[in-house]
């Protein structure tokens, strides 16, 4: 049971977790600016024991999404990948195939989710799936928005000749209207044909 001294920290950390919503994945690093490492460790251990959060791989937790039919859902792999990236101060971007999966443009359920990283090449097991980080020179890492990187990688993976109307509409559906102007500005230095596709995606309906 948490001591009286640690209870306020438990509540503060729990409040931040609730604030990020179900599906959020995180590590101790995400709270390090406000609390000591020992306090965070104790708080997360207590919250994990209560069943509110769960440990999904070494040093990474999540606040699981729930389904009335299925109960706790599997971890959001993209969230876990970004939690790991924040933990180790890596910049990452999804590989082409991973971007297609995240945008619903691939019907295959991947056993491996591959991300390019400026950190070392590593692999992590999350349930029955694995996250693979491959060290690479991140040519498109200068984007301010994650959505920009996701979109560019998906478009490149599809290829210029494979973006038919159905795929185009799926890409457009995955790009919130509120972000279109920002993505358009963010990707303006991207390869010519890719940027032409993005300009079309960002046009007003």
């Amino acid at each position: 049971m948490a001591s009286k001294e640690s209870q306020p920290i438990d509540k503060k950390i729990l409040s931040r977790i609730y604030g990020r919503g179900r599906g959020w994945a995180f590590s101790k690093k995400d709270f390090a600016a406000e609390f000591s490492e020992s306090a965070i460790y104790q708080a997360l251990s207590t919250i994990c024991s209560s069943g509110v959060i769960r440990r999904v791989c070494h040093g990474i937790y999540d606040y699981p999404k729930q389904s009335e039919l299925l109960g706790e859902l599997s971890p959001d792999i993209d969230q876990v990948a970004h939690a790991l990236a924040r933990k180790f101060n890596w910049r990452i971007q999804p590989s082409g195939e991973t971007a297609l999966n995240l945008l619903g443009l691939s019907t295959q359920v991947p056993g491996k989710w591959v991300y390019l990283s400026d950190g070392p090449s590593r692999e992590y097991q999350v349930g029955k799936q694995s996250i693979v980080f491959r060290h690479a020179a991140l040519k498109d890492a200068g984007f301010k928005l994650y959505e920009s990187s996701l979109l560019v990688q998906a478009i490149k993976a599809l290829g210029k000749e494979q973006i038919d109307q159905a795929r185009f509409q799926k890409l457009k559906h995955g790009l919130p209207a509120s972000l279109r102007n920002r993505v358009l500005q963010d990707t303006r230095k991207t390869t010519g044909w890719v940027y032409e596709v993005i300009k079309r995606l960002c046009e007003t309906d």
Side-chain angles (χ1 to χ4, degrees):
M1 190 169 176
S3 67
K4 289 183 179 179
E5 186 178 350
S6 69
Q7 281 176 353
I9 295 176
D10 293 357
K11 290 178 180 178
K12 288 177 183 178
I13 288 179
L14 197 53
S15 175
R16 281 153 182 71
I17 292 169
Y18 286 153
R20 297 305 297 262
R22 289 196 176 273
W24 186 52
F26 53 91
S27 72
K28 291 187 294 182
K29 176 76 175 288
D30 290 300
F31 308 101
E34 297 174 81
F35 310 109
S36 69
E37 185 173 351
S38 60
I40 297 166
Y41 178 81
Q42 185 176 350
L44 292 181
S45 295
T46 300
I47 298 167
C48 195
S49 296
S50 73
V52 174
I53 62 174
R54 63 187 170 185
R55 188 178 285 104
V56 296
C57 67
H58 184 66
I60 303 295
Y61 304 80
D62 82 338
Y63 177 35
K65 290 183 178 179
Q66 298 277 354
S67 161
E68 289 185 12
L69 182 63
L70 302 172
E72 277 190 1
L73 299 180
S74 298
D76 183 321
I77 297 296
D78 193 50
Q79 282 280 349
V80 176
H82 280 83
L84 286 162
R86 293 194 305 274
K87 179 181 179 182
F88 296 115
N89 291 319
W90 298 339
R91 292 184 304 166
I92 64 170
Q93 63 187 40
S95 69
E97 287 302 315
T98 294
L100 293 178
N101 272 292
L102 290 169
L103 289 172
L105 286 160
S106 174
T107 56
Q108 294 182 341
V109 179
K112 289 187 176 183
W113 296 76
V114 180
Y115 292 79
L116 306 180
S117 166
D118 62 359
S121 295
R122 289 184 183 173
E123 184 169 343
Y124 297 85
Q125 198 67 30
V126 181
K128 294 182 179 179
Q129 298 180 305
S130 59
I131 302 174
V132 178
F133 294 101
R134 290 181 181 160
H135 179 74
L138 301 186
K139 296 178 181 178
D140 298 315
F143 299 130
K144 294 179 180 178
L145 300 174
Y146 176 61
E147 289 82 1
S148 298
S149 177
L150 191 62
L151 195 59
V152 168
Q153 293 302 317
I155 292 170
K156 287 182 176 180
L158 285 171
K160 189 174 183 178
E161 307 304 322
Q162 300 301 316
I163 304 179
D164 56 21
Q165 189 60 22
R167 291 189 176 102
F168 181 85
Q169 288 303 323
K170 199 126 191 178
L171 286 167
K172 188 154 189 167
H173 180 72
L175 180 60
S178 59
L179 283 178
R180 289 177 188 172
N181 284 337
R182 291 173 64 196
V183 167
L184 193 62
Q185 288 298 314
D186 199 23
T187 57
R188 62 189 182 278
K189 293 183 181 180
T190 306
T191 307
W193 74 268
V194 174
Y195 191 59
E196 288 303 314
V197 174
I198 292 172
K199 282 199 291 187
R200 288 171 51 215
L201 289 170
C202 291
E203 288 175 356
T204 306
D205 294 322

